[in-house]
């Protein structure tokens, strides 16, 4: 294994020899063996150990073991304690997810503060196989069946080609000590149940199970790469990037073979889960929409509009007198002027005497109304936007300027008739610049 590992990192991870690197280490056999292999290959790393305070004296013993190992290998070591149970309860997370979030947030902090470039973890082939099986049972696309990736951003996994059996055998042959986590024997977690019950049964049927999986994984990864190339070609035909998101041409989608699969590939990274609802948007009425936690997909005649759900949708910005403010349409500036000279949709004039600061700037919402300049009576903003034939793409990003309860300007569109300038009034000019 040592020779294979040396060849592997020379070919795939040569950057390890020139950069500052952190190794995430629990004290278990996987991370301990990786620490020894890195030391034998003259890769300088710092050990980073998380004490999640979940197993009492056992957690403390793990910490002491890692500190002793760091001393033996002459590696720097960092240890962090977490109140994992409290963190999980406050955020309604499982213990596993809480520990993961805490761990990687701390690793990133170490990198940013101390100048480390990469994070190494000791995930191996069995971990990747377990991930494959978990995703398979829960339902997934092709990417969910390709196992754990070799890297995510600055996190790399140099042990992925090696099985747990190889790692344990290497440790035993070289008299390497490690710590056993007693919680790994519990089948409370689905991953442990796969590891402790399902894997042994399948291993009885195929003694080369891991080798078979690694070959299958390679085929799946190649298929995924081929699919990504195909989607890249289709992207330019189907998708148009706009100021506020993306437009997907329904006409082009209907002409494309396997349209559902194409839609899934185009949208899978935007958090959607109700895929049948997404597919049905193709034939839905304009205005129909589907939401993920981060994005919305809107049907507008012959296009699907993909937009990020902005925090500013419910945010109210306060504007003080003569204060400039930046928001996602640009910069809104104020100035006192003696007369109105410039007339454009991005300019508005108001009588200073009627304004009560701070003014408010926000997205329009259902039920909003105003008194359109040059017209009699009030009008709902929704009706005004329809009459003005404002496309759905722009409706999602319409802002209004408010004076107390009055909407005095639909920004970039029309002001309020009630705030028409009279001859003796002081004029305050608002200008939107992009």
């Amino acid at each position: 294994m040592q020779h294979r590992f040396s060849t592997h990192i020379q070919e795939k991870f040569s950057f390890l020899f020139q950069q500052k690197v952190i190794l995430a280490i629990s004290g278990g056999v996987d991370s301990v063996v990786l620490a020894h292999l890195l030391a034998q290959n003259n890769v300088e790393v710092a050990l980073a150990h998380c004490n999640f305070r979940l197993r009492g004296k056992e957690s403390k013993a793990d910490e002491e073991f890692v500190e002793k190992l760091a001393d033996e290998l002459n590696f720097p070591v960092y240890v962090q304690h977490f109140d994992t149970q409290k963190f999980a309860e406050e955020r309604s997370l499982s213990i596993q997810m809480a520990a993961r979030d805490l761990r990687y947030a701390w690793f990133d902090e170490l990198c940013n503060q101390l100048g480390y470039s990469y994070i190494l973890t000791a995930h191996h082939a069995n971990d990747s196989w377990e991930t494959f099986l978990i995703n398979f049972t829960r339902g997934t696309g092709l990417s969910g069946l390709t196992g754990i990736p070799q890297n995510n951003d600055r996190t790399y996994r140099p042990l992925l080609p090696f099985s747990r059996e190889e790692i344990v055998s290497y440790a035993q042959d070289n008299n390497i000590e490690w710590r056993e986590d007693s919680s790994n024997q519990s089948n409370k977690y689905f991953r442990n149940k796969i590891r402790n019950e399902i894997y042994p049964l399948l291993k009885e049927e195929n003694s080369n199970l891991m080798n078979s999986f690694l070959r299958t994984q390679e085929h799946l990864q190649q298929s995924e790469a081929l699919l990504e190339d195909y989607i890249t070609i289709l992207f330019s035909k189907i998708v148009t990037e706009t100021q506020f998101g993306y437009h997907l041409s329904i006409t082009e989608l209907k002409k494309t073979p396997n349209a559902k699969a194409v839609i899934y590939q185009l949208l899978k990274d935007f958090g959607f889960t109700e895929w049948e609802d997404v597919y049905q948007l193709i034939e839905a009425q304009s205005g129909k929409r589907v939401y993920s936690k981060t994005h919305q997909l809107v049907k507008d005649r012959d296009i699907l509009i993909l937009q990020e759900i902005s925090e500013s949708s419910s945010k109210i910005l306060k504007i003080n007198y003569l204060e400039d403010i930046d928001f996602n349409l640009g910069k809104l500036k104020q100035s006192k002027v003696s007369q109105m000279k410039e007339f454009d949709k991005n300019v508005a004039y108001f009588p200073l005497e009627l304004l009560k600061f701070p003014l408010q700037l926000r997205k329009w919402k259902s039920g909003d109304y105003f008194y359109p300049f040059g017209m009699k009576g009030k009008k709902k903003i929704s009706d005004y936007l329809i009459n003005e034939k404002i496309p759905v793409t722009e409706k999602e990003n319409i802002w209004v300027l408010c004076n107390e309860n009055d909407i005095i300007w639909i920004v970039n569109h029309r002001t309020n008739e009630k705030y028409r300038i009279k001859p003796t009034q002081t004029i305050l000019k608002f200008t939107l610049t992009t």
Side-chain angles (χ1 to χ4, degrees), residues 5-124:
F5 181 82
S6 298
T7 302
H8 177 56
I9 62 169
Q10 288 287 350
E11 292 178 352
K12 303 289 187 181
F13 299 89
S14 59
F15 58 84
L16 294 179
F17 299 97
Q18 291 86 34
Q19 302 289 340
K20 293 180 65 177
V21 182
I22 287 174
L23 170 60
I25 186 163
S26 64
V29 64
D30 312 323
S31 56
V32 170
V33 164
L34 180 54
H36 278 273
L37 287 170
L38 293 169
Q40 289 161 10
N41 283 274
N42 298 315
V43 178
E44 295 184 7
V45 299
L47 305 186
H49 176 74
C50 301
N51 185 336
F52 295 109
R53 294 177 175 173
L54 294 172
R55 294 177 291 114
K57 293 181 179 179
E58 193 175 342
S59 292
K60 181 61 177 175
D62 290 346
E63 177 184 327
E64 292 171 350
F65 173 84
V66 169
E67 291 175 334
K68 180 183 176 183
L69 177 65
D71 185 56
E72 292 173 359
L73 298 178
N74 197 28
F75 285 159
V77 61
Y78 303 100
V79 175
Q80 182 69 285
H81 296 103
F82 298 104
D83 190 341
T84 313
Q85 187 71 47
K86 181 180 178 181
F87 182 87
E89 291 172 356
E90 289 176 347
R91 290 159 179 79
S92 299
L93 297 172
S94 68
I95 290 294
Q96 286 181 315
M97 288 304 300
R100 184 188 185 282
D101 289 351
L102 288 168
R103 176 168 62 244
Y104 282 102
W106 179 52
F107 294 159
D108 283 336
E109 184 179 330
L110 283 177
C111 288
N112 295 334
Q113 292 184 357
L114 302 178
Y116 288 94
S117 300
Y118 300 104
I119 303 161
L120 302 184
T121 68
H123 291 96
H124 48 70

Side-chain angles (χ1 to χ4, degrees), residues 270-416:
F270 297 98
F272 293 101
T273 56
E274 302 300 325
W275 287 104
E276 284 304 317
D277 292 343
V278 171
Y279 303 144
Q280 290 172 11
L281 281 182
I282 295 291
E283 304 297 340
Q285 293 181 342
S286 288
K288 182 74 174 177
R289 63 192 67 204
V290 177
Y291 294 93
S292 73
K293 289 183 179 179
T294 58
H295 289 77
Q296 64 174 342
L297 192 64
V298 186
K299 168 72 177 292
D300 184 26
R301 290 165 290 186
D302 61 348
I303 60 172
L304 297 178
I305 304 164
L306 177 67
Q307 293 178 315
E308 187 175 1
I309 299 173
S310 172
E311 292 182 5
S312 61
S313 298
S314 57
K315 189 174 183 179
I316 298 176
L317 304 176
K318 293 186 177 182
I319 307 175
N320 295 312
Y321 178 53
L322 294 181
E323 176 185 60
D324 296 341
I325 189 166
D326 290 301
F327 66 119
N328 71 342
L329 290 184
K331 181 187 285 286
L332 191 60
K333 300 180 178 180
Q334 301 177 49
S335 57
K336 284 177 63 176
V337 296
S338 58
Q339 57 182 313
M340 297 180 288
K341 292 182 179 180
E342 183 183 3
F343 296 94
D344 199 351
K345 66 177 184 178
N346 66 322
V347 176
Y349 299 95
F350 301 104
L352 180 59
E353 291 84 348
L354 298 184
L355 301 181
K356 297 182 179 180
F357 289 91
L359 305 181
Q360 296 180 345
L361 185 66
R362 62 171 173 82
K363 291 281 189 74
W364 79 282
K365 60 181 183 289
S366 178
D368 279 345
Y369 67 89
F370 80 130
Y371 294 81
F373 190 88
M375 298 174 60
K376 292 183 178 180
K378 67 181 180 180
K379 195 175 192 68
K380 284 187 176 180
I381 289 182
S382 57
D383 293 336
Y384 170 81
L385 297 176
I386 291 172
N387 292 343
E388 294 294 311
K389 296 183 171 55
I390 304 299
V392 173
T393 50
E394 291 186 27
K395 287 182 182 179
E396 300 291 334
N397 203 39
I398 296 292
W399 288 73
V400 294
L401 183 65
C402 305
N403 180 46
E404 294 191 319
N405 294 325
D406 286 343
I407 292 174
I408 62 176
W409 187 24
I410 302 179
V411 179
N412 262 359
H413 290 278
R414 187 172 292 192
T415 57
N416 190 322

